[in-house]
Amino acid sequence: MKLGSSFLVPAGHERVFAHFLDPDSMRVSVPGCTELDRADAAHYRGRLVNEIAHVRFSAGFSAEITELNEPELVRALLKGEDHKLGSSIKIDARLAVQPDGPDSSKVDYSLDVAIWGRIGRLGESLVRRRSQEVEKEFVAAFSEICAAGPPGPDNPGLRSVLERRNGPSAPAEAPERVSWWRRLLARLFGKKS
């Protein structure tokens, strides 16, 4: 399945390109990306959790930059697998950034997506529809982060997007979840979980 589009970002093209290579910016911008680490200059790994037609896809993934022409073009190959669903995904991505005025950039992207397993059997129309929703969320978050300043953990846009997504008083780390059976045992035997 081929996907592609373009969008404008209110920041210079060099800053926009730098944000695409920054793990903090991408982790916060990509809906459902719960982890993203940069292993070296050309390799990333992370976890993506998303839902398509009430089927939850939770996959560890790796990404390898296969072509880099800063600050204009990056190509990457992403691979991920959800062992519980028996589903896997492979994305050959191309991203180009061009100036569109003094403080504006145009981003063009194309994705060649292959999906196998249960997610793949849902059908292209459902996957395409969910991809459009994800794109809208990504563009809004990414644009805000780029406009707020250069990449890095101190970018105020990161905090703003996270607060809007999780609420203003959301703790930095989620509290440890207690499984349902431990809560049940605690109720039955009067212990606090």
Side-chain angles (χ1 to χ4, degrees):
M1 171 175 59
K2 297 199 182 294
L3 301 169
S5 186
S6 62
F7 56 92
L8 296 177
V9 179
H13 77 286
E14 290 181 1
R15 180 188 292 179
V16 170
F17 196 84
H19 276 285
F20 275 117
L21 299 177
D22 179 59
D24 291 324
S25 298
M26 294 306 288
R27 178 182 47 79
V28 173
S29 297
V30 175
C33 186
T34 59
E35 300 170 22
L36 185 60
D37 297 311
R38 190 174 190 172
D40 59 42
H43 296 90
Y44 296 79
R45 66 179 173 276
R47 175 156 297 282
L48 183 64
V49 178
N50 224 310
E51 191 170 302
I52 301 172
H54 306 293
V55 177
R56 185 182 161 121
F57 181 73
S58 176
F61 70 89
S62 64
E64 177 184 3
I65 294 175
T66 57
E67 182 181 347
L68 182 63
N69 184 9
E70 291 189 58
E72 296 148 3
L73 175 75
V74 64
R75 285 185 109 107
L77 183 62
L78 294 86
K79 296 177 183 177
E81 190 170 353
D82 183 329
H83 295 289
K84 285 185 180 179
L85 287 180
S87 294
S88 58
I89 187 167
K90 178 181 170 186
I91 302 172
D92 187 4
R94 180 188 178 280
L95 179 96
V97 182
Q98 302 169 347
D100 189 60
D103 289 323
S104 181
S105 300
K106 181 181 178 188
V107 175
D108 292 303
Y109 74 90
S110 62
L111 307 173
D112 191 357
V113 181
I115 303 172
W116 298 274
R118 186 170 176 196
I119 296 292
R121 288 189 297 270
L122 290 175
E124 184 176 328
S125 63
L126 288 175
V127 173
R128 191 174 294 279
R129 188 175 320 130
R130 180 63 183 138
S131 297
Q132 290 169 345
E133 294 167 3
V134 167
E135 178 188 5
K136 287 179 187 175
E137 293 175 42
F138 172 81
V139 169
F142 186 74
S143 295
E144 181 175 343
I145 291 168
C146 287
D154 297 331
N155 181 304
L158 295 173
R159 182 174 254 338
S160 175
V161 170
L162 286 173
E163 284 180 355
R164 191 170 36 266
R165 189 178 298 151
N166 302 330
S169 61
E173 294 184 25
E176 183 181 339
R177 291 188 60 181
V178 179
S179 65
W180 66 269
W181 62 271
R182 286 190 187 264
R183 289 192 308 267
L184 177 64
L185 288 174
R187 282 190 188 156
L188 291 173
F189 298 108
K191 294 181 182 177
K192 292 185 179 181
S193 56

